[in-house]
Amino acid sequence: MAIRIFVTGGTFDKEYNELNGALYFQDTHLPEMLDLGRSKLNVDIRMLMMVDSVVMTDEDRQIILTNCENTPEERIVITHGTDTMVETASILGAASIGKTIVLTGAMIPYKFGSSDGLFNLGSALAFAQSLPPGVYIAMNGKAFPWDNVRKNRETGRFEVLDKEAAAEPAP
Amino acid sequence: MAIRIFVTGGTFDKEYNELNGALYFQDTHLPEMLDLGRSKLNVDIRMLMMVDSVVMTDEDRQIILTNCENTPEERIVITHGTDTMVETASILGAASIGKTIVLTGAMIPYKFGSSDGLFNLGSALAFAQSLPPGVYIAMNGKAFPWDNVRKNRETGRFEVLDKEAAAEPAP
Amino acid sequence: MAIRIFVTGGTFDKEYNELNGALYFQDTHLPEMLDLGRSKLNVDIRMLMMVDSVVMTDEDRQIILTNCENTPEERIVITHGTDTMVETASILGAASIGKTIVLTGAMIPYKFGSSDGLFNLGSALAFAQSLPPGVYIAMNGKAFPWDNVRKNRETGRFEVLDKEAAAEPAP
Amino acid sequence: MAIRIFVTGGTFDKEYNELNGALYFQDTHLPEMLDLGRSKLNVDIRMLMMVDSVVMTDEDRQIILTNCENTPEERIVITHGTDTMVETASILGAASIGKTIVLTGAMIPYKFGSSDGLFNLGSALAFAQSLPPGVYIAMNGKAFPWDNVRKNRETGRFEVLDKEAAAEPAP
């Protein structure tokens, strides 16, 4: 099963510049993370952009959408800043592409040691392989459908909009 | 969706004893790993044993099977040493419990910094939520059905027994 | 041999705020770092301030000086941001206190995994025990006298002002 | 000031073999550790052997002694397993070479993340630059003269033999 990974930046790939103390983007750590996870998946990584998601533009989101439409793979993972991940997901979701698309990110840069990135990447790749076509956000161990999720800015966690719909029916 | 995690030991939870240079088990790192991954899943962790999987006995496997049968959750993740993970999976698979059971582990102890454990745990929890009832091994980013997987001892990677059956049909 | 450690902040103790992506100070990591180094030194840690050294004021430097003068220990280590470490050292040096005072810091925060902080702390504590009274900067594995050192902002490394004076005489 | 580093193995350089779960030696991590510490010291690293110090022989110690005598540098750091570090130090000390020789090691392998190695290396290099000729063990933040030190096997810490001699005179 071939999986396409689109890299767009976000906290995932931020690094610390030791000369000026600022955070910046250099290159993606996705290949290194897949090696660390001993992944043997058939993945193809393409970097579409390398931006903080708060500065992501409508044009950027069109680039992401177009790439999702045009890539031959039916399974796609997108690494993305968490601040506007929901916004990008809703544009992809509204386009009804008919592929399984999973957005994921991190609260702490991968290079900072205590990152959630590796956990999130593992779950995003698993959801991309196992969920039916649709657009999802994989964060906090869960997969949220694109039209029922928000980032709670006070806790930094993702949660469903509609708590009732999310209530679990008895199995 | 409630998930049960059964801990059985394995490389996942090994630590380095600085007084005698030996590897040993102290306690499980699962709660710490879930915190690191910012998991908000509804999980319940129970430690069934804390052993190297090469010394796991038939009695140990019966304990695991009984616990899988008796726990109310329909979704189960088992952390397990990789050496005999396939053997335990086959006993659980043959029992046809009707739940989604995912075994996972690590090649490098979580405490050693360069571990694949966090990636594997993320993928195992995702597969446990999204795959239909059955017994699977989640390693190397993939979910292998219990009756078509082996650990390649030369590479340390998991692979399907039957390469043809694993060939991917055109989507 | 009793050693006093004065904490003033700097990159050493910076942390990443996962809610807003900013770097900030919370608490000092010195006790944790000494534990990691299995230090059995007789040290007493006091936090004087917790600031980025670019915002350190003359008043702050007077506080540091007064504390160095008043503390009973003859051996002092000061953790400090690298940007103005030389400036603070020159104020302490000009005061001719008659104690061995060693300033040190880090280019990368201790919590970010790839920090030079633990190496620098080890060398600073060793220099504080073994060098004669005077004020020194311990960075890059070396001890620089306070009146012959500068931070090269392009390389991020500390170096002597006067290369000739620094030339090594045959032993 | 030129410093010679002799590598002999020990916990410092042990790695985890993910295929069989055993600890082994591959190559020294000294260059990587010096890079991490942003060391700008003039050091020359030579690997004399790569052994666990419990299996170090008299012949091995003669090789170390001969190399210390013959190397042109007056300042030497030796990385060594902690179990027999005192024994090697006493052979070097008895030879009265007239150089500053500092042995150091680690309780936890450098690659395991929570190692004391970087702290010890920083202190050993500092002591090697600042102490008068003699043979010392740099562990736990301190420098112990070769003829007044033992490893306490219960605590894993180094301590003086003669507590009275170690009592600190008033400054």
Side-chain angles (χ1 to χ4, degrees):
Chain A
M1 194 184 291
I3 302 172
R4 166 68 63 175
I5 298 179
F6 288 129
V7 171
T8 74
T11 297
F12 230 67
D13 278 329
K14 275 197 181 156
E15 306 204 33
Y16 183 79
N17 180 336
E18 69 180 70
L19 292 182
N20 65 10
L23 299 170
Y24 75 115
F25 292 111
Q26 190 172 34
D27 198 359
T28 180
H29 301 98
L30 260 291
E32 183 183 337
M33 293 170 77
L34 291 171
D35 281 352
L36 188 59
R38 274 88 179 146
S39 169
K40 297 299 282 180
L41 293 168
N42 176 13
V43 301
D44 217 323
I45 301 171
R46 189 163 306 170
M47 194 194 300
L48 299 184
M49 59 205 69
M50 198 53 122
V51 299
D52 203 318
S53 80
V54 293
V55 301
M56 193 178 273
T57 64
D58 289 347
E59 286 71 34
D60 290 332
R61 293 196 169 86
Q62 281 304 317
I63 291 171
I64 297 170
L65 172 58
T66 305
N67 273 278
C68 287
E69 290 172 331
N70 293 349
T71 196
E73 294 88 354
E74 300 290 311
R75 312 277 176 172
I76 300 171
V77 166
I78 302 172
T79 66
H80 196 289
T82 59
D83 282 325
T84 68
M85 193 185 281
V86 171
E87 202 174 326
T88 301
S90 74
I91 285 177
L92 299 178
S96 301
I97 303 177
K99 299 179 176 180
T100 300
I101 301 177
V102 181
L103 293 91
T104 195
M107 296 304 292
I108 300 258
Y110 169 66
K111 292 304 279 182
F112 290 8
S114 61
S115 176
D116 51 332
L118 199 62
F119 180 83
N120 294 343
L121 182 61
S123 70
L125 286 166
F127 283 130
Q129 294 172 77
S130 53
L131 290 178
V135 176
Y136 310 88
I137 281 179
M139 288 293 291
N140 305 124
K142 304 176 182 179
F144 300 90
W146 67 272
D147 54 359
N148 190 17
V149 59
R150 70 179 189 111
K151 181 181 175 186
N152 181 324
R153 296 193 192 280
E154 278 163 52
T155 63
R157 305 297 179 253
F158 285 76
E159 56 193 25
V160 293
L161 297 174
D162 174 0
K163 297 274 184 184
E164 273 169 54
E168 294 160 36
Chain B
M1 192 184 291
I3 302 173
R4 165 67 64 175
I5 298 180
F6 288 130
V7 171
T8 73
T11 297
F12 232 64
D13 278 330
K14 275 198 182 157
E15 306 204 33
Y16 182 79
N17 180 335
E18 70 182 69
L19 292 182
N20 65 12
L23 299 170
Y24 74 116
F25 294 110
Q26 188 169 37
D27 198 357
T28 179
H29 301 97
L30 260 291
E32 183 184 339
M33 293 170 76
L34 292 171
D35 281 352
L36 188 59
R38 275 87 181 146
S39 169
K40 298 299 283 180
L41 293 169
N42 177 13
V43 300
D44 216 323
I45 301 172
R46 189 162 305 168
M47 194 194 301
L48 299 184
M49 60 205 69
M50 199 53 121
V51 299
D52 201 319
S53 80
V54 293
V55 301
M56 192 177 272
T57 63
D58 288 349
E59 286 70 34
D60 290 331
R61 293 197 168 87
Q62 281 304 317
I63 291 170
I64 298 171
L65 173 58
T66 304
N67 273 278
C68 287
E69 289 172 332
N70 292 349
T71 197
E73 294 88 354
E74 300 290 310
R75 312 279 176 171
I76 300 170
V77 166
I78 302 170
T79 65
H80 196 290
T82 59
D83 282 325
T84 67
M85 191 184 280
V86 171
E87 201 172 328
T88 301
S90 74
I91 284 177
L92 299 176
S96 301
I97 304 176
K99 299 180 176 181
T100 300
I101 301 176
V102 181
L103 293 92
T104 194
M107 296 303 294
I108 300 260
Y110 169 66
K111 292 304 278 182
F112 289 9
S114 61
S115 176
D116 51 332
L118 199 61
F119 179 84
N120 294 343
L121 182 61
S123 69
L125 287 165
F127 283 130
Q129 293 171 81
S130 53
L131 290 178
V135 176
Y136 310 87
I137 281 178
M139 289 292 291
N140 305 123
K142 305 178 183 180
F144 300 91
W146 67 273
D147 54 359
N148 190 16
V149 58
R150 69 179 190 114
K151 181 180 175 187
N152 181 326
R153 298 195 188 279
E154 277 163 53
T155 63
R157 305 297 179 253
F158 284 76
E159 57 193 25
V160 294
L161 296 175
D162 175 359
K163 298 274 183 184
E164 273 170 53
E168 297 159 36
Chain C
M1 193 184 291
I3 302 172
R4 166 66 64 175
I5 297 179
F6 288 129
V7 171
T8 74
T11 298
F12 231 66
D13 277 329
K14 276 198 180 156
E15 306 204 32
Y16 182 79
N17 180 334
E18 69 181 70
L19 291 181
N20 65 11
L23 298 170
Y24 75 114
F25 293 111
Q26 190 170 34
D27 198 358
T28 181
H29 301 97
L30 259 291
E32 184 184 337
M33 293 169 77
L34 292 171
D35 280 353
L36 188 58
R38 275 86 181 148
S39 169
K40 297 300 280 181
L41 293 169
N42 177 13
V43 300
D44 217 323
I45 301 172
R46 189 164 305 170
M47 193 194 301
L48 300 184
M49 59 205 69
M50 199 53 122
V51 298
D52 203 318
S53 79
V54 294
V55 302
M56 193 178 272
T57 64
D58 289 347
E59 287 70 35
D60 290 332
R61 293 196 169 88
Q62 281 304 316
I63 291 171
I64 297 171
L65 173 58
T66 304
N67 274 278
C68 287
E69 289 172 332
N70 294 349
T71 196
E73 294 88 352
E74 301 289 311
R75 313 278 175 172
I76 300 170
V77 166
I78 302 171
T79 65
H80 196 289
T82 59
D83 282 325
T84 69
M85 192 184 281
V86 171
E87 201 173 327
T88 302
S90 74
I91 285 177
L92 299 177
S96 300
I97 305 176
K99 298 180 176 181
T100 300
I101 301 176
V102 181
L103 293 92
T104 195
M107 297 303 294
I108 300 262
Y110 169 66
K111 292 303 280 184
F112 289 8
S114 61
S115 176
D116 51 332
L118 199 62
F119 180 84
N120 294 342
L121 182 61
S123 70
L125 287 166
F127 283 130
Q129 294 173 77
S130 53
L131 289 179
V135 176
Y136 309 88
I137 281 179
M139 288 293 291
N140 306 124
K142 303 177 183 180
F144 300 90
W146 67 273
D147 54 0
N148 190 17
V149 59
R150 71 181 189 108
K151 182 182 174 186
N152 182 323
R153 296 193 191 282
E154 277 164 53
T155 62
R157 304 299 178 252
F158 285 75
E159 56 194 25
V160 294
L161 296 175
D162 175 359
K163 297 274 184 184
E164 273 170 54
E168 296 159 35
Chain D
M1 193 184 289
I3 301 173
R4 166 66 63 175
I5 298 179
F6 288 129
V7 171
T8 73
T11 298
F12 231 65
D13 278 329
K14 275 196 182 160
E15 307 203 33
Y16 182 79
N17 180 335
E18 70 182 71
L19 292 182
N20 65 12
L23 299 169
Y24 74 115
F25 293 110
Q26 189 170 35
D27 199 358
T28 180
H29 300 97
L30 260 291
E32 184 184 338
M33 293 170 77
L34 291 170
D35 281 352
L36 188 59
R38 276 86 179 148
S39 168
K40 298 298 283 180
L41 293 168
N42 176 13
V43 300
D44 216 322
I45 301 171
R46 189 163 305 170
M47 193 195 300
L48 300 184
M49 60 205 69
M50 199 53 121
V51 298
D52 203 318
S53 80
V54 293
V55 301
M56 193 178 273
T57 63
D58 290 346
E59 286 71 34
D60 290 332
R61 294 195 169 89
Q62 281 304 318
I63 290 170
I64 297 171
L65 173 58
T66 304
N67 273 277
C68 287
E69 289 173 330
N70 294 348
T71 196
E73 295 88 354
E74 300 290 311
R75 312 278 176 171
I76 299 169
V77 167
I78 302 171
T79 65
H80 195 288
T82 59
D83 283 324
T84 68
M85 193 184 281
V86 171
E87 200 173 328
T88 301
S90 73
I91 284 177
L92 298 177
S96 300
I97 304 177
K99 300 180 176 180
T100 300
I101 300 176
V102 181
L103 293 92
T104 194
M107 296 304 292
I108 300 260
Y110 170 67
K111 292 304 278 182
F112 289 9
S114 61
S115 177
D116 51 333
L118 199 61
F119 179 84
N120 294 342
L121 182 61
S123 70
L125 286 166
F127 284 130
Q129 293 172 79
S130 53
L131 290 178
V135 175
Y136 310 88
I137 280 179
M139 288 293 291
N140 305 125
K142 306 177 181 179
F144 300 91
W146 67 273
D147 53 359
N148 190 15
V149 60
R150 70 179 189 111
K151 181 181 176 187
N152 182 324
R153 297 195 189 280
E154 277 164 52
T155 63
R157 304 297 178 253
F158 285 76
E159 56 193 26
V160 293
L161 295 175
D162 175 0
K163 297 275 183 183
E164 275 170 53
E168 296 159 36

